[in-house]
């Protein structure tokens, strides 16, 4: 019988990532910390918006560098990430530094997002989200902030596609000032800054980078 060869389906051009849990578990499989153990510089600069004892959520916190540092500042910190391997390392980092963080392994769509449950949200490099997922993620972030609660967010701008020193190589995942202004129009924007800087946040975010930072408060 003659073998029938079917044409291979052409790869679909997609702007979302397949198997994010598997991909990130593999990236976090090594002993080291892909983004280091020190907090993101933008978060460190603006974490003073929260007072000790306040409750802050770290979104997609990876290996825990940001949540653990926030807990060390005296905040009550919750954190989640889709990658079990990252959360396991984050738990060890917290234990090693003698602080408690309420960690969970969760996809951002599945996270319970308590309504007005947090005084703050830290969303640092959460650009895994394509526009549809980002819409849901940002809506959940807005809703889980208490009135007066503050979001501190950092990401890359489309110019990062020239630097290629970190972040997803997909323009629709990156942030512009207009995008963030529209997405958080119902929050009071205290700081929205686009800038270039040399990042040294592990091997994952290293070198000249096109960044954007936001600090915004729920009314
Ligand atoms: C660039 S890393 C940033 C990690 C951390 N925020 C930091 O600054 O070190 C992106 C993180 O998003 C997580 N992630 C990817 N897709 C996710 C999803 N759908 N829900 C929750 N976390 C996700 C990855 O596991 C990874 O830890």
């Amino acid at each position: 019988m003659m073998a029938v060869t079917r044409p291979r389906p052409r790869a679909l051009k997609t702007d979302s990532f397949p198997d994010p849990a598997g991909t990130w578990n593999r990236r976090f499989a090594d002993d080291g910390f892909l983004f280091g153990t020190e907090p993101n510089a933008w978060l460190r600069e603006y974490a003073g918006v929260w007072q000790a004892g306040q409750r802050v959520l770290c979104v997609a916190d990876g290996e825990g560098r940001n949540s653990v540092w926030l807990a060390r500042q005296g905040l009550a910190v919750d954190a989640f990430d889709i990658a079990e391997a990252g959360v396991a390392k984050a738990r060890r980092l917290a234990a090693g530094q003698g602080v408690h963080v309420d960690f969970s392994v969760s996809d951002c769509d599945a996270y319970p997002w308590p309504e007005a449950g947090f005084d703050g949200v830290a969303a640092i490099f959460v650009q895994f989200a394509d526009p549809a997922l980002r819409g849901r993620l940002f809506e959940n972030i807005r809703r889980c902030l208490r009135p007066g609660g503050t979001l501190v967010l950092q990401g890359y701008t489309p110019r990062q596609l020239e630097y290629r020193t970190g972040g997803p190589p997909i323009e629709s995942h990156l942030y512009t000032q207009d995008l963030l202004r529209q997405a958080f129009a119902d929050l009071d924007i205290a700081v929205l800054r686009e800038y270039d800087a040399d990042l040294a946040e592990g091997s994952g975010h290293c070198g000249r980078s096109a960044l954007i930072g936001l600090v915004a408060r729920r009314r």
Side-chain angles (χ1 to χ4, degrees):
M1 208 161 96
M2 246 174 58
V4 180
T5 49
R6 294 175 196 278
R8 276 167 183 264
R10 284 177 56 199
L12 282 177
K13 190 171 167 356
T14 168
D15 64 358
S16 57
F17 293 110
D19 187 22
T23 303
W24 282 98
N25 276 323
R26 282 188 292 280
R27 284 182 188 158
F28 291 146
D30 290 343
D31 281 343
F33 283 74
L34 186 57
F35 304 108
T37 53
E38 291 300 311
N40 164 256
W42 181 263
L43 179 65
R44 189 196 282 270
E45 188 176 344
Y46 288 100
V49 295
W50 305 306
Q51 280 99 55
Q54 286 193 315
R55 190 174 174 207
V56 174
L57 173 66
C58 266
V59 174
D61 183 50
E63 297 163 305
R65 64 182 179 129
N66 295 315
S67 60
V68 168
W69 181 79
L70 288 172
R72 286 175 53 205
Q73 310 314 302
L75 293 157
V77 185
D78 292 54
F80 73 87
D81 195 278
I82 199 170
E84 214 174 334
V87 175
K89 286 162 90 175
R91 288 184 203 278
R92 290 197 291 274
L93 184 66
Q97 302 205 4
V99 292
H100 173 76
V101 173
D102 195 346
F103 288 113
S104 50
V105 176
S106 179
D107 183 297
C108 59
D109 271 343
Y111 188 71
W113 297 104
E115 177 82 36
F118 294 101
D119 301 296
V121 173
I124 306 300
F125 296 121
V126 295
Q127 292 176 304
F128 54 81
D130 64 18
L133 179 56
R134 181 173 66 226
R136 300 192 296 277
L137 175 62
F138 283 3
E139 168 63 17
N140 281 323
I141 287 175
R142 289 195 304 269
R143 278 195 318 104
C144 83
L145 279 171
R146 296 188 175 123
T150 304
L151 165 66
V152 175
L153 173 144
Q154 164 104 101
Y156 292 110
T157 70
R159 279 194 313 100
Q160 177 66 9
L161 297 174
E162 294 161 30
Y163 288 128
R164 293 176 165 272
T165 51
I170 306 173
E171 186 162 1
S172 61
H173 288 230
L174 305 178
Y175 307 152
T176 62
Q177 293 198 43
D178 279 352
L179 184 150
L180 293 180
R181 228 181 253 116
Q182 277 176 34
F184 296 107
D186 54 348
L187 271 56
D188 287 328
I189 295 182
V191 188
L192 177 57
R193 181 150 56 94
E194 204 176 322
Y195 60 103
D196 283 12
D198 294 311
L199 285 192
E201 303 191 355
S203 60
H205 291 154
C206 185
R208 199 72 185 156
S209 306
L211 299 166
I212 190 163
L214 173 81
V215 179
R217 194 161 175 268
R218 185 166 175 185
R219 293 182 187 127

